[in-house]
Amino acid sequence: MRIPWPGVAAGLAVAALGTTGLVRGSMPQSSGTAAGPSSANPIVVTGAFVRPPLPPSKNAAVYFTVYNTTGKPDRLQAVTAAIGTDAVLHTSGMAADPNGVVIPAKGHLSLSVGHGHVMIEGVTARLRAGEQVNIELDFENAGPVDVTAPVVPLGSPTPSGAPS
Amino acid sequence: MKRLVLLLLTALLALTACTGSDGKRSKPQPSELQGNPGTGKYMGSGLIPPQPRPSFTLTDTSGQPFAFGSQTSGHPTFLYFGYTNCPDECPASLADIATATRLVSPAIAAQTYVVFVTTDLKHDTGSVIKTWLHNFHFGRGVTVVGLRGTQAQIDAAQAASHIPLAEDGGETHSTSSLLYGRDDYARVLFLRSNDEDKAMTHDLKIIGSAE
């Protein structure tokens, strides 16, 4: 019954967004360690934020858009978060993606409420508004990419540039 | 037949996981189901024909039986099936329901029930559900009810509500919020969207005012 999430077949959207889609917002950004052929930053992450757990649940959700600026597909193969016991990429239903997700050349992956997230499990620390959470995205080609996401409690507006 | 197809389509769209899965951003639009008189005034997705308030009995967070059909009869009632470890869709929808109950008149809020039924029988005990529901700021006077039961009971409740049965230990579940009126029919449901709170507020005002 599940309708397949279109996943990363969204390369066209990047073309539609043009370069403005790649403008870095006020969110802290970082890039991969390996420089891609077409950009100093092969992977660019924008609009990241984290929804803290609602007690007694210990699950937090992180949202962001990640752009692959290179001319080659890259695979987001792992996510890690120090604040929890585990971090899992959910893009299709609640099922984890065991092999990660391929982001097409010049494509992007957008995780927004109802359309995927990184779930951080086992968050025991209390996350307060304005605090920052660090997660690491591990790419097959670009290597590790650090993302800093501000804590935005439920009901607070999402940061500008956040995926919707 | 056409009506049946539309209803089925709505049901299909509605079964997404807590993360959702229909990339089409099925945002409820006014008069989404065109040509169905009586739905045009709602911002949520119109239900044609209207669905009667279902009857099922589950257990509330204090361990007492709760007969949904009779105990909420005559009240504007939001009904949502989900689970408390859901990081994404469930909190968003419950927060939107809470917003709607805060923004309508006190008279409507005092009449309104919000009923959350867990699909995760393993983890969601009465106290877990009770604590979790306290995260949301519902309007004054709203009656908030958290329910659980056996798998057979939960399945029967979903079936009676014309909601697709949850799967994967309750983690893949409908993200529809049903809204029953004082006449004990649901004429509208809400699918997750960024404008869900506006649609719910808009429609609760109408449904809460109607005789």
Side-chain angles (χ1 to χ4, degrees):
Chain A
M1 277 289 268
R2 262 186 258 153
I3 300 163
W5 190 76
V8 291
L12 286 174
V14 155
L17 278 172
T19 50
T20 56
L22 301 174
V23 169
R24 290 175 170 204
S26 57
M27 295 307 115
Q29 304 296 332
S30 56
S31 61
T33 51
S38 61
S39 167
N41 299 312
I43 300 295
V44 176
V45 178
T46 64
F49 69 98
V50 57
R51 290 286 196 213
L54 296 180
S57 176
K58 296 184 173 67
N59 293 342
V62 190
Y63 304 94
F64 52 81
T65 301
V66 53
Y67 294 88
N68 174 9
T69 69
T70 73
K72 281 185 183 174
D74 203 347
R75 183 189 301 274
L76 172 54
Q77 53 192 11
V79 288
T80 49
I83 59 157
T85 55
D86 201 3
V88 189
L89 175 66
H90 287 150
T91 56
S92 176
M94 280 300 287
D97 288 275
N99 300 314
V101 169
V102 174
I103 304 178
K106 305 289 182 188
H108 76 275
L109 169 68
S110 195
L111 304 177
S112 63
V113 178
H115 304 280
H117 54 258
V118 169
M119 183 168 80
I120 308 177
E121 299 172 359
V123 177
T124 48
R126 186 177 175 126
L127 304 182
R128 295 170 199 283
E131 289 178 346
Q132 311 257 324
V133 168
N134 295 313
I135 66 170
E136 184 182 286
L137 309 180
D138 188 27
F139 287 87
E140 196 169 31
N141 299 330
V145 174
D146 293 325
V147 178
T148 304
V151 175
V152 181
L154 192 64
S156 300
T158 56
S160 64
S164 62
Chain B
M1 190 59 200
K2 191 178 175 187
R3 289 179 170 189
L4 181 64
V5 170
L6 283 171
L7 193 61
L8 268 172
L9 183 67
T10 309
L12 280 170
L13 280 172
L15 183 67
T16 66
C18 98
T19 54
S21 56
D22 65 312
K24 288 177 188 164
R25 311 279 165 98
S26 54
K27 182 181 292 185
Q29 299 291 337
S31 308
E32 179 170 287
L33 304 185
Q34 287 292 342
N36 295 319
T39 64
K41 61 182 175 179
Y42 300 115
M43 281 179 72
S45 301
L47 288 169
I48 301 291
Q51 293 178 15
R53 187 185 298 267
S55 287
F56 54 79
T57 299
L58 295 170
T59 304
D60 71 15
T61 54
S62 55
Q64 298 301 307
F66 187 89
F68 178 84
S70 56
Q71 288 185 246
T72 64
S73 178
H75 292 274
T77 307
F78 283 103
L79 176 62
Y80 189 86
F81 292 85
Y83 69 107
T84 68
N85 261 325
C86 173
D88 184 281
E89 296 267 11
C90 313
S93 287
L94 265 291
D96 288 342
I97 292 173
T99 298
T101 62
R102 286 198 314 271
L103 295 181
V104 294
S105 70
I108 292 176
Q111 281 287 309
T112 299
Y113 275 68
V114 177
V115 179
F116 171 83
V117 181
T118 185
T119 54
D120 180 355
L121 316 185
K122 206 163 115 190
H123 298 108
D124 285 350
T125 63
S127 72
V128 164
I129 297 170
K130 187 177 180 181
T131 304
W132 186 76
L133 287 171
H134 277 135
N135 289 297
F136 306 100
H137 306 292
F138 296 99
R140 269 184 91 165
V142 174
T143 306
V144 181
V145 180
L147 297 178
R148 53 197 287 271
T150 65
Q151 189 67 58
Q153 288 175 320
I154 300 293
D155 287 352
Q158 292 172 93
S161 311
H162 302 286
I163 291 270
L165 299 193
E167 301 166 8
D168 304 334
E171 294 189 354
T172 300
H173 60 88
S174 157
T175 55
S176 299
S177 304
L178 285 154
L179 176 55
Y180 297 94
R182 295 163 66 183
D183 63 355
D184 292 338
Y185 280 89
R187 291 182 166 73
V188 63
L189 65 71
F190 304 91
L191 303 169
R192 259 309 303 155
S193 79
N194 290 336
D195 296 328
E196 190 179 47
D197 56 339
K198 291 187 188 69
M200 286 173 165
T201 305
H202 178 270
D203 293 354
L204 180 58
K205 280 178 185 168
I206 297 172
I207 280 159
S209 310
E211 284 305 320

